[in-house]
Structure formats: structure tokens, C-alpha cells
Amino acid sequence: MQVSVTRDVFRLAQVFTISRGSRTEAQVLTVTVSDGTHQGRGECVPYARYGETLESVTAQIEDTAVTDRAALQAQLPAGAARNALDCALWDLEAKRAGKRVWELAGLAAPTPEITAYTLSLDEPDAMQAQAAKNAHRPLLKIKLGTPDDMARLEAVRAGAPDARIIVDANEGWSAEIYADLAPHLLRLGVALVEQPLPAGEDDTLLGVARPLPVCADESCHDRASLAALKGKYDVVNIKLDKTGGLTEALELRRAALAEGYDVMVGCMIGSSLAMAPAVLVAQGALVTDLDGPLLLAEDRGTPLTFDSAGVHPPAPELWG
């Protein structure tokens, strides 16, 4: 099996800011796996939050003797490197078989899913303008976790009075701040809050009322995470760069639903190649958040289709 990894850069349509910083481009790793006749591709986004860099993940990929997906699960831990390789191997299997990945996985043919659109963190007036520009979208996501959260949230609601809103605190609140904010989140029609507390401090949620659904993001990586989430969260956010690929993402989805959690499917900022496998995981999810390509000024040659029906399954030329 031949494996190559390249670094690709995609310009963003505008500066994108969250509480951890700003960026003007998405830097991703593209993996190609070939058997000499067919090839498959996958994409990952190394995440500094988990100690990953473009260099470290590239080294992980290059140091792995790739044979098949089953072996890969034991060879690499959950994370960006395994994600790119796992998704590339799924794509390769589909190309070999002349079938779609969902057929190989025993899944129903996917249909479009409405996706959230994330507003960049900014001053309240600017966020109200962003919200008004995107008020036609049915679901908006706001990155919070700052001292001025309420002013920003009020501004977004004023700009998009009819949109569903979800908020992502990015581990930026304390239990006290969340308890104070929760009634206002309800008043403003927020449908869900992601990761209000730092992952290492979320035991406090055991004693906090959850008047609206609370979603585990940084606290949930793969199936091994589920045991520690009981009594704290209502929803788990499945991201392929956290699970280490589609294989574990599908298993986490099954396990989470069986244990009574709702599912959100999220993404890092990447191209359509990174989102394509996640569309399969997002089928029937409570929340789909696969807007990465919508934030780009440029994308892959055969991008995903986004329209009023949502994000569509990939064409085989892209993936799967």
C-alpha cells in the first residue's frame, strides 16, 4: 500500500475568529492511499487543543504501515492522523468495489441534512450585521466564551429573529457563569449549548440544572469517552478528527444513541473532502454542523453541494 501526505491551504472567505484566536486560512493534510490500481483520499485538520501540529500528524501518518482499516484502529490512537488514513481507506474500498461507502457500511443512502452556519466572533454590531446577512439560514451557530457574550447573543437574535441558534462556549465558562446565562439562553431561543465548561472541570455539571440541551465536544472523543459523560450531557458532538475516522465515528454514533444521547456532528474548518464522510454520520442527527466549506474562499475541485435542503452527500469523484 502506497501512502502520500500533502499539506494544502485553503483561503477563508473572511477572517474567522473564535475566543482562542483568528485565522485567514485553513491548513489541512490530504492523504492518498493507493494499491497501484485504485486510490482513496482523506483529509484531516490537526488540532493544537490536543497537541497536534501539521508536522506531528504528518510524521504519524508516514510512520504507519498501512494495511487495512481494522489494523489501523489498533495502530494509531483516535486523532487527526487516523482520521485521514481511515477515510482514505474507506474511499479506496469503495473505488475497488465500484460501490458507495454507505453500501459497504450497510447504511441507507444518505440524504441532505440542514447544517449550521457559524458566525465569526466580533463586536455585537458586526455580529448583528453577520446574522442579518445570514438570516435566511435556518440554523446559526455562535462561538462565545467571552465576557461580552450576552451582548453578542442579543445582537445575533436581533439580526436573525427567526433562525434557530446554537452556541459554543469552547470551554470558556464557569459553572456559575453558565447558571447565570442559562435563563437568558432560553429567553433568546437558543436550542443547544456546546461545551460550556472546560473538559477537565465538567463534573460540576452533575449538580447543575440543564434547562436546554448541553452537548459534549471537547469532553467526547470516541466510545471510551461515554462513561464519563453520564449525568452531565444530553448530546455528544462527533467530529472525525476526534474519533480518528469514519469507522469509530459510526461506532460512537451507535453507542451514544443506544445510551440515550442525542447526536451532533461537527467539523474543523476544512474542505469538502473532510466533510464528505461526516455527512454519513450526520444522517438523522439532532444537529449537523458541517459548514467548513461555506467558510472557504476556495474548495476542492468537486465540492459538496450546499443548498436550501442542506449539505448533500458527496459525488464519487470527491469521496466514497
Side-chain angles (χ1 to χ4, degrees), residues 41-75:
R41 296 188 304 160
E43 179 184 313
C44 69
V45 181
Y47 194 21
R49 168 68 176 76
Y50 304 125
E52 296 177 333
T53 65
L54 291 162
E55 293 75 20
S56 70
V57 173
T58 297
Q60 275 186 292
I61 294 167
E62 292 178 340
D63 291 345
T64 301
V66 177
T67 55
D68 55 48
R69 284 190 299 105
L72 183 66
Q73 307 309 304
Q75 287 174 286

Side-chain angles (χ1 to χ4, degrees), residues 16-40:
F16 185 79
T17 301
I18 64 173
S19 59
R20 294 188 179 117
S22 299
R23 65 176 70 180
T24 58
E25 60 187 21
Q27 297 189 44
V28 310
L29 295 177
T30 304
V31 167
T32 302
V33 177
S34 173
D35 63 4
T37 302
H38 302 92
Q39 66 177 30

Side-chain angles (χ1 to χ4, degrees), residues 6 33 50-51 58 62 97 124 127 135 138 178 210 224 242 244 282 308:
T6 60
V33 177
Y50 304 125
T58 297
E62 292 178 340
M127 291 192 73
Y178 173 59
R210 298 196 302 276
K242 292 189 301 176
S308 60

Side-chain angles (χ1 to χ4, degrees), residues 136-156:
H136 64 284
R137 301 184 188 275
L139 180 59
L140 297 178
K141 178 174 174 176
I142 314 169
K143 295 280 195 176
L144 298 178
T146 75
D148 301 315
D149 283 344
M150 276 311 304
R152 290 185 168 97
L153 184 54
E154 296 269 12
V156 169

Side-chain angles (χ1 to χ4, degrees), residues 202-210 214 226-234 259 261:
D202 63 0
D203 281 352
T204 312
L205 288 172
L206 289 167
V208 174
R210 298 196 302 276
V214 179
L226 290 176
L229 305 182
K230 291 181 190 248
K232 306 175 189 177
Y233 297 98
D234 309 289
E259 293 191 23
Y261 295 99

Side-chain angles (χ1 to χ4, degrees), residues 11-290:
R11 292 182 298 107
L12 301 189
Q14 62 183 41
V15 176
F16 185 79
T17 301
I18 64 173
S19 59
R20 294 188 179 117
S22 299
R23 65 176 70 180
T24 58
E25 60 187 21
Q27 297 189 44
V28 310
L29 295 177
T30 304
V31 167
T32 302
V33 177
S34 173
D35 63 4
T37 302
H38 302 92
Q39 66 177 30
R41 296 188 304 160
E43 179 184 313
C44 69
V45 181
Y47 194 21
R49 168 68 176 76
Y50 304 125
E52 296 177 333
T53 65
L54 291 162
E55 293 75 20
S56 70
V57 173
T58 297
Q60 275 186 292
I61 294 167
E62 292 178 340
D63 291 345
T64 301
V66 177
T67 55
D68 55 48
R69 284 190 299 105
L72 183 66
Q73 307 309 304
Q75 287 174 286
L76 286 174
R82 195 175 79 187
N83 175 31
L85 285 168
D86 182 73
C87 291
L89 287 169
W90 273 109
D91 190 29
L92 176 63
E93 290 176 41
K95 298 298 192 292
R96 281 171 164 171
K99 295 183 176 182
R100 302 309 307 269
V101 163
W102 50 86
E103 297 178 89
L104 300 179
L107 303 173
T111 57
E113 289 285 335
I114 293 294
T115 182
Y117 179 82
T118 306
L119 301 180
S120 179
L121 189 67
D122 208 327
E123 294 304 314
D125 287 349
M127 291 192 73
Q128 182 169 340
Q130 282 187 66
K133 181 180 178 181
N134 291 283
H136 64 284
R137 301 184 188 275
L139 180 59
L140 297 178
K141 178 174 174 176
I142 314 169
K143 295 280 195 176
L144 298 178
T146 75
D148 301 315
D149 283 344
M150 276 311 304
R152 290 185 168 97
L153 184 54
E154 296 269 12
V156 169
R157 176 50 81 201
D162 298 323
R164 287 177 67 215
I165 293 176
I166 58 176
V167 302
D168 184 0
N170 278 124
E171 305 180 275
W173 295 338
S174 65
E176 293 75 20
I177 291 173
Y178 173 59
D180 287 343
L181 288 176
H184 299 288
L185 300 178
L186 285 171
R187 173 176 59 83
L188 291 166
V190 171
L192 174 144
V193 57
E194 276 186 78
Q195 199 68 44
L197 308 185
E201 301 173 18
D202 63 0
D203 281 352
T204 312
L205 288 172
L206 289 167
V208 174
R210 298 196 302 276
L212 73 163
V214 179
C215 179
D217 184 357
E218 285 84 356
S219 290
C220 182
H221 293 247
D222 54 17
R223 281 173 290 171
S225 305
L226 290 176
L229 305 182
K230 291 181 190 248
K232 306 175 189 177
Y233 297 98
D234 309 289
V235 186
V236 296
N237 188 345
I238 300 174
K239 293 178 180 174
L240 272 64
D241 277 314
K242 292 189 301 176
T243 65
L246 177 62
T247 300
E248 177 62 22
L250 291 172
E251 293 300 326
L252 173 57
R253 183 180 186 276
R254 293 187 188 102
L257 291 172
E259 293 191 23
Y261 295 99
D262 280 315
V263 165
M264 175 178 180
V265 177
C267 65
M268 310 302 185
I269 301 182
S271 80
S272 284
L273 179 59
M275 309 301 131
V279 174
L280 276 62
V281 188
Q283 297 299 295
L286 177 68
V287 174
T288 296
D289 180 23
L290 298 177

